[in-house]
Amino acid sequence: MSQEPPEKMMFQLTLRRRGISDQAVLRTMEEVPREAFVAAGDRGHAYRDSALGIACGQTISQPFVVAYMTEQLQLQKHHKVLEIGTGSGYQAAVLSRLCAHVLTIERYRTLADTARARLEQLGYYNIEVMLGDGFDIPAGAGDFDRIIVTAAMEQIPEKLLQRLLPGGILIAPVGPHHGTQTLVRMTRTDSGFDRKELVDVRFVPALPGIAREL
C-alpha cells in the first residue's frame, strides 16, 4: 500500500476537524488530485488549506471552502449542476464525482481551454466547459438542480435564481467585490426562495461579459 504524503493526511484531517462530515464529499476530496489543478510552482503546496493563484489573476479556492460549498449543495447522483467560474476546473472535478452532469462557465478563454484539456486528460467526462458570461446563461442550457457561483457577486441576479428547478439550491459568495463576502444558500420552494447566510469568505469578483484578452 502506498504511503500517503503527510500533507495529504493533514488535508483530510483538517477538513474533518473544520466540520466537513459528508462521507461522499470527504472521499471525493481525497480522490480528486488537487496537485493537477494548481500552477506547477505550487504543487508542493497543493494540499495546504489556502487559496492559490492561477492564471488570469484568478484563484483556486482553499480546500475547506470547496468541500464546504460542495457539502452545502446536498448533491444527488441524478443532479444537473451549473458552475459559474471554472477557474482551474478543480471545483467542477469535485462536483462531477457527486452528480450526473456539470456545466461550468468561464469568462477567460485561457482558463476555459486549459481546464477543458485538463479535465479530459484526467478522465472527467461528465463536465462541459463553456466560454461565456456567468450573468447571461444561454437559454438552451436549460435549468439546473444545483447552481454554484465561485466568484463574488454583489447580489444574486434574479434571472440566475430562475434557472433553478423546484427544490433546487444555489450557493454563492455575496457582498462587496473588495472585502469580505458571505456565502449564501438559496433554496427554491413552492412559495419562492429560502435564503440562508452561512459563513464569511473572500472570493475574486464575478464580472459580467467575456474577458477581452486572456
Side-chain angles (χ1 to χ4, degrees):
M1 184 176 156
S2 65
Q3 192 63 35
E4 286 268 34
E7 300 82 23
K8 190 112 187 255
M9 289 175 69
M10 277 307 298
F11 168 79
Q12 292 151 19
L13 196 60
T14 300
L15 293 178
R16 288 181 169 88
R17 274 194 189 138
R18 293 196 64 184
I20 305 298
S21 59
D22 184 312
Q23 291 305 310
V25 172
L26 287 166
R27 191 164 54 247
T28 301
M29 294 295 291
E30 190 171 338
E31 288 167 359
V32 174
R34 186 171 164 90
E35 68 278 5
F37 293 88
V38 302
D42 282 329
R43 293 221 169 109
H45 310 309
Y47 290 96
R48 280 192 193 161
D49 197 30
S50 60
L52 296 168
I54 56 171
C56 306
Q58 305 300 293
T59 56
I60 174 173
S61 294
Q62 73 184 86
F64 170 72
V65 171
V66 172
Y68 182 81
M69 289 177 81
T70 304
E71 186 173 66
Q72 290 293 325
L73 283 174
Q74 301 165 19
L75 292 166
Q76 294 175 26
K77 281 291 186 191
H78 65 275
H79 282 161
K80 181 182 169 189
V81 179
L82 169 66
E83 178 191 30
I84 294 173
T86 310
S88 68
Y90 179 65
Q91 176 74 73
V94 170
L95 297 169
S96 76
R97 287 290 184 255
L98 298 162
C99 69
H101 185 262
V102 179
L103 170 63
T104 178
I105 296 182
E106 175 54 60
R107 67 189 298 269
Y108 292 102
R109 186 179 296 279
T110 304
L111 290 178
D113 291 349
T114 309
R116 188 182 298 111
R118 179 185 288 128
L119 292 163
E120 280 176 14
Q121 186 186 356
L122 292 168
Y124 294 93
Y125 299 123
N126 61 335
I127 302 173
E128 179 189 352
V129 181
M130 180 190 288
L131 178 69
D133 179 354
F135 288 87
D136 189 19
I137 310 301
D143 295 333
F144 300 88
D145 300 290
R146 301 289 186 265
I147 298 175
I148 179 170
V149 182
T150 58
M153 291 184 153
E154 290 174 312
Q155 53 199 37
I156 300 168
E158 183 61 31
K159 63 181 180 180
L160 192 57
L161 289 171
Q162 294 306 324
R163 301 305 285 269
L164 272 182
L165 289 162
I169 294 172
L170 175 148
I171 191 160
V174 178
H177 278 171
H178 301 289
T180 304
Q181 303 100 27
T182 301
L183 215 48
V184 172
R185 187 178 69 200
M186 304 289 285
T187 306
R188 186 160 202 169
T189 65
D190 293 340
S191 55
F193 292 93
D194 279 349
R195 178 188 172 106
K196 186 173 186 199
E197 299 195 347
L198 302 169
V199 292
D200 286 348
V201 287
R202 287 183 85 98
F203 277 84
V204 294
L207 301 171
I210 295 170
R212 288 186 188 282
E213 292 99 32
L214 308 170

